[in-house]
Amino acid sequence: LYRNLGKEASYSYHQSILFNLGTDISQVEGSSTDQFRIVPTNAYPTTQAEILETWAQLYNTIYNANDFIERMTEKVKAYETDSDKNLGKVMIAEARAIRAMCYFDLVRLWENIPLVTATSESYKQPDEFTQVEPARIYEYIESDLKNAATVLPYAKQDSCRIDNSYRFSKGA
């Protein structure tokens, strides 16, 4: 999941442009809406590569988070030691935090978006998805983050992971 966040269509590049749309930061010289000005001026078509790739990458990360949560939940039940169960729960909480972050970015950029909460839903045809009101998306985000906040340790108190560098913690 963390690897997905560093891809070009995600936080590595495209989202650094998209986050600034509609602000003074995204202002470009000239009054035309061609070439490099197309994205900062919100004049892009629905086929714009940066937009399509970012949308797809965020939903790919959500799919991977859903898949991880579903699989790890089953594995945690089978673990025998408390330390293994605790680590599994921490990893699930990280996945929920990442999923919440992706939904937060999607709803900020596009408002009414599909809410995909399980891998089984991902196999629908594009015309079968329904857009959900932002309030419902924010409720889902809040639920994921509240769960993560109760499970994740603070970085300085993290004794279950060998290395918690660049990982979600209760503080995040």
Side-chain angles (χ1 to χ4, degrees):
L1 293 176
Y2 284 103
R3 181 177 44 212
N4 284 357
L5 303 179
K7 295 197 175 177
E8 184 175 317
S10 192
Y11 298 96
S12 173
Y13 182 63
H14 289 176
Q15 284 187 260
S16 65
I17 295 169
L18 297 175
F19 284 145
N20 296 320
L21 290 177
T23 70
D24 290 343
I25 296 170
S26 67
Q27 297 299 313
V28 291
E29 288 184 19
S31 59
S32 70
T33 57
D34 60 348
Q35 296 174 358
F36 68 89
R37 293 180 189 94
I38 197 165
V39 173
T41 57
N42 285 315
Y44 53 84
T46 57
T47 56
Q48 186 69 29
E50 295 87 355
I51 306 304
L52 290 174
E53 290 169 6
T54 298
W55 174 276
Q57 185 60 53
L58 287 168
Y59 271 108
N60 179 265
T61 304
I62 289 168
Y63 173 85
N64 289 341
N66 288 338
D67 185 49
F68 182 84
I69 292 164
E70 290 167 11
R71 291 173 189 251
M72 185 56 77
T73 300
E74 291 304 312
K75 285 185 178 185
V76 166
K77 292 175 186 174
Y79 288 153
E80 294 180 13
T81 66
D82 287 342
S83 63
D84 286 345
K85 287 183 183 195
N86 186 41
L87 178 59
K89 290 176 183 177
V90 165
M91 293 168 72
I92 290 169
E94 285 180 274
R96 290 184 75 156
I98 290 171
R99 180 173 65 186
M101 184 175 68
C102 290
Y103 272 122
F104 182 68
D105 292 336
L106 282 163
V107 76
R108 280 192 315 161
L109 292 168
W110 292 291
E111 293 185 19
N112 295 341
I113 59 169
L115 179 62
V116 183
T117 61
T119 55
S120 60
E121 296 174 38
S122 300
Y123 299 105
K124 292 180 182 177
Q125 294 298 317
D127 61 344
E128 294 178 35
F129 286 102
T130 55
Q131 294 180 351
V132 177
E133 292 288 323
R136 181 139 176 252
I137 301 292
Y138 284 117
E139 287 172 7
Y140 194 75
I141 292 167
E142 184 179 8
S143 170
D144 267 352
L145 293 178
K146 281 183 175 180
N147 174 276
T150 60
V151 175
L152 290 171
Y154 286 106
K156 290 186 176 186
Q157 298 169 343
D158 190 350
S159 60
C160 63
R161 296 180 278 195
I162 295 169
D163 182 12
N164 65 5
S165 302
Y166 310 105
R167 293 194 169 271
F168 272 99
S169 67
K170 185 183 293 282

